[in-house]
Amino acid sequence: MTQPPTEGTGDAGRRGRDPYRLGRRASASLVAVFLLIALAALSTMVGLPYVVLKPGPIQNTLGQLDGKDLYTITGAPTYPTT
């Protein structure tokens, strides 16, 4: 003979668990979000060396030499440097 479920025990399978403990999916999600925020913060601190503004030898690779551009790009939209 089976007993009918009692009122208010919809969580009968989790009777011995702490109600404030996170499950595996929630824990993994929190770790993933934390790592994403950490990588985003780290990426703002790392500079890309396209044009480096620091002391060193002077080489104007964005300008002209003897009236000719050092680099010419064909097949893509380009914009003049300032």
Side-chain angles (χ1 to χ4, degrees), residues 14-69:
R14 302 169 73 181
R15 197 173 286 161
R17 292 187 57 183
D18 183 10
Y20 297 108
R21 183 176 176 169
L22 293 176
R24 283 187 183 176
R25 184 178 294 170
S27 297
S29 297
L30 283 175
V31 169
V33 167
F34 174 75
L35 288 176
L36 182 67
I37 291 172
L39 285 175
L42 181 64
S43 69
T44 62
M45 296 177 202
V46 176
L48 298 176
Y50 291 115
V51 177
V52 179
L53 301 175
K54 65 180 181 180
I58 299 172
Q59 298 172 347
N60 184 6
T61 59
L62 299 177
Q64 296 180 344
L65 180 64
D66 296 330
K68 292 181 163 183
D69 289 333

Side-chain angles (χ1 to χ4, degrees), residues 3-10 15:
Q3 295 181 347
T6 59
E7 290 288 324
T9 59
R15 197 173 286 161

